[in-house]
Amino acid sequence: MAKFDPIEERAIEMLDDLRLEAVRAETVVHDDKRFEFVLWTLCLRGVPVIERVCRSRGEARGLGEEEIELATEDAAARMLLRLSRPDPQPQIHALAAEVAAACIDRAWPQQPKPPRLSGRTPRLRLIEGLDEAIEIGQVRPNDWETL
């Protein structure tokens, strides 16, 4: 990362998220060299959110430590790519949470819930003597549909 004026760096660090987003959009559009430091500052604010969201959602889905770390790295990279675009982005915390949740959901989707089974015993229609007819060859498997 290029070295900038420490006073200017400190001024950027002290900006609130909304103003920092405006500076980010402005530096991207004008290809300003300060964009790198603005991006760094935004990432420092967003990565803790990514880590929290990936950990909580990953643990809820039963993911291991390595899988959670991979999702965290993926989300951080995707956040950097989103912040490099000139179009407006949501507030950094919202963007970080959105990207982290999407990474967990995309990589490890929730398993569908099994169908709910009835609590009562089903009433089956039994045909008398079917087992004997099958044994002696009077009924073939294809004939079962007609019974």
Side-chain angles (χ1 to χ4, degrees), residues 62-98:
L63 301 180
E65 189 66 32
E66 185 177 332
E67 293 170 317
I68 291 171
E69 287 178 16
L70 288 172
T72 302
E73 290 174 11
D74 184 31
R78 289 176 187 275
M79 182 179 67
L80 279 170
L81 291 172
R82 290 268 305 263
L83 290 172
S84 298
R85 297 179 188 168
D87 53 325
Q89 297 296 326
Q91 182 206 25
I92 189 62
H93 296 119
L95 176 64
E98 173 188 326

Side-chain angles (χ1 to χ4, degrees), residues 127-146:
I127 299 174
E128 295 289 327
L130 180 61
D131 57 339
E132 292 173 15
I134 292 172
E135 283 181 20
I136 60 173
Q138 290 180 343
V139 177
R140 294 179 306 275
N142 292 341
D143 294 339
W144 293 351
E145 295 174 2
T146 58

Side-chain angles (χ1 to χ4, degrees), residues 23-88:
V23 171
R24 181 206 63 84
E26 188 177 306
T27 57
V28 169
V29 170
H30 294 101
D31 200 25
D32 190 333
K33 63 181 181 176
R34 293 173 293 182
F35 169 72
E36 188 176 345
F37 187 74
V38 172
L39 183 63
W40 177 259
T41 305
L42 282 168
C43 286
L44 285 176
R45 294 179 186 187
V47 167
V49 175
I50 288 175
E51 290 173 342
R52 276 194 311 272
V53 171
C54 284
R55 176 142 326 274
S56 64
R57 288 178 80 100
E59 286 175 352
R61 294 192 181 193
L63 301 180
E65 189 66 32
E66 185 177 332
E67 293 170 317
I68 291 171
E69 287 178 16
L70 288 172
T72 302
E73 290 174 11
D74 184 31
R78 289 176 187 275
M79 182 179 67
L80 279 170
L81 291 172
R82 290 268 305 263
L83 290 172
S84 298
R85 297 179 188 168
D87 53 325

